[in-house]
Amino acid sequence: MEIKNFINNQWVGEHANGKALEKIANIGPATGEVIGSLPRSGADEINQAVQAAKKAFPDWSQTTAEIRADFLNRLADQVDANAEALANAESLDQGKPVHLARQMDIARVAKNFRFFASAILQETSMATHPQKGLLNYVLKKPVGVAGLISPWNLPLYLLSWKIAPALACGNTVVAKPSELTSMTAHLFSQLAVKVGLPAGVLNIVYGYGNEAGQALVSHPEVPIISFTGGTQTGQTVIQSSAPYFKKLSLELGGKNANLIFADCDFEAMMESTLRSSFLNQGEICLCNSRLYIEESLYPRFVEEFVQRTIKLKVGPPAEASSFMGALVSRAHLEKVMGFIQTAKDQGGKILCGGKKSDLPKPFSDGFFLEPTVIADLPENSACIQEEIFGPVVTLSKFSQFRESIEKANQVKYGLSATVWTQDLTKALAAAEQLSVGTVWVNTWMQRDLRVPFGGQKASGVGREGGHHSIEFFTESTTVNIKY
Ligand code: TXE
């Protein structure tokens, strides 16, 4: 797939002076082969997109919520109608199994658009506070050109989670997907043209983060940035946008604890813990990579968990029986392997996994890694403190409730946590005491899209979801009239 920038509803592969843009080779994670290319865009291309979005803003921001909701619903219909092509492209580009791309990523893209199409129609944009002789009311207005930057783990799912509310609120958009996974954004731009989205409302520019991404974050005419990616990069985004006082929403890394108490529903916990540890090759910021098991349950847990982890199939992404596909890039595979080596150096015990999976041709050069379980690490070790973002989990014990909370909270991240217990008091106390943005009790990755989603500490700033996204993607003006 030869991807081109999508600017003003045109696919553009050249600089403004007509010279072809340099191309970045896109490597397929399952084979390590080149599967296409994307443009290496820079500040000029970002500026072209911003000017197109600026030009489209007056008309688009004046449309009614009904008209915008109708566009979002038609985009959702197009996503459903093209789900197979989108799921295959996502799998080919990111390495995840096709069945996971279909039922997790692409299904959620359509849901994101439908959700915000209805949310914008329910929004009470004028809160009035009448007093005797003084009328106070609040206007909610679109902000302008929204800069949306998305990562490579759930490419179109997370990009749509930003595009949908941004457009619903009347903003126009310049999006910059991860250079590792740009294919579904390109396919999505074709759907936008198909539904007749006016030119310049949605623009997508491809390229490296420190070039195109950096140019978008520091563009003076982009007053709002929604970013999902690494904690390190989040800091750069804050610094680059600081001179402009931009509105920022940052959803960053996580190092989420899974607290497993002896009184839990063991089978339900086990089933869910295998998913929350290794789903999407462990490349979900909400994965639970730190498992804390109550001492009395530990022997039974370890035996069962290791046995079932070994049975998880790492295979060709197109096969329905593959639970895990390939990691997103060679560099990421090496990074995760580096953590496993460090774990060994720091006295950790590899209970299973730890090696690259060897698959037959044409997958022998793919970035496949066995699901890995590491025990007996000190709490201050790198694998327990740092985000690995791969199919690697650590096991630790606790004996007291208080100890489980202290261990869960002792990392710099604060995105989410999961608690397995049948004791209501314990569950409620844990939810109160865990310093994270989201707590799951006896489940994982289930939530109503109206709740605020995001992290605290090094996991980010701000919340998106339901009304919180609408708050973020609008500016409010308070009007006070004396009569
Ligand atoms: O993120 P990056 P990456 C974590 C995970 C992963 C690490 C790095 O630990 O190993 O982040 O992953 C763009 N200015 N998460 O490399 O680099 C970049 O092009 C502006 C957790 O994907 O942060 C891409 O579009 N933009 C995360 C996006 O930022 C810049 C999911 C994310 O890239 C930029 C993914 C810059 N200076 C990784 N540098 C989650 N919370 O879900 C890069 N980008």
Side-chain angles (χ1 to χ4, degrees), residues 149-153 158 176-179 207-210 213-214 217 227-230 233 236-237 251-253 285 332 335 387 389:
I149 299 178
S150 49
W152 50 254
N153 60 324
L158 289 174
K176 208 299 290 176
S178 171
E179 57 278 24
Y208 291 124
N210 62 356
Q214 177 74 23
V217 169
F227 172 85
T228 297
T233 314
T236 312
V237 168
E251 206 269 277
L252 308 177
C285 54
H332 191 55
K335 173 179 169 184
E387 182 177 47
F389 217 62

Side-chain angles (χ1 to χ4, degrees), residues 401-451:
F401 173 80
R402 187 176 27 76
E403 182 194 353
S404 73
I405 302 296
E406 279 162 9
K407 287 185 171 177
N409 284 338
Q410 42 109 22
V411 294
K412 67 179 182 180
Y413 296 97
L415 190 57
S416 69
T418 299
V419 182
W420 289 93
T421 176
Q422 304 283 30
D423 177 333
L424 190 59
T425 310
K426 233 182 262 176
L428 297 178
E432 275 167 22
Q433 297 170 35
L434 288 164
S435 313
V436 292
T438 297
V439 173
W440 278 291
V441 178
N442 298 339
T443 185
W444 178 67
M445 276 279 269
Q446 273 185 308
R447 75 174 196 270
D448 183 305
L449 296 185
R450 287 171 292 185
V451 300

Side-chain angles (χ1 to χ4, degrees), residues 258-262 264 269 273 292-294 297 301 398 420:
N258 187 354
L259 304 184
I260 299 169
F261 290 90
C264 71
M269 173 281 296
T273 297
Y292 293 98
I293 302 101
E294 191 164 3
L297 183 68
F301 174 85
F398 67 86
W420 289 93

Side-chain angles (χ1 to χ4, degrees), residues 277-311:
S277 300
F278 304 115
L279 193 70
N280 204 53
Q281 301 75 240
E283 296 166 331
I284 300 178
C285 54
L286 297 169
C287 276
N288 293 313
S289 49
R290 290 184 293 143
L291 278 59
Y292 293 98
I293 302 101
E294 191 164 3
E295 199 137 31
S296 57
L297 183 68
Y298 190 79
R300 181 185 172 203
F301 174 85
V302 173
E303 191 192 330
E304 184 66 20
F305 184 61
V306 169
Q307 238 177 34
R308 301 211 356 205
T309 298
I310 290 170
K311 288 199 193 105

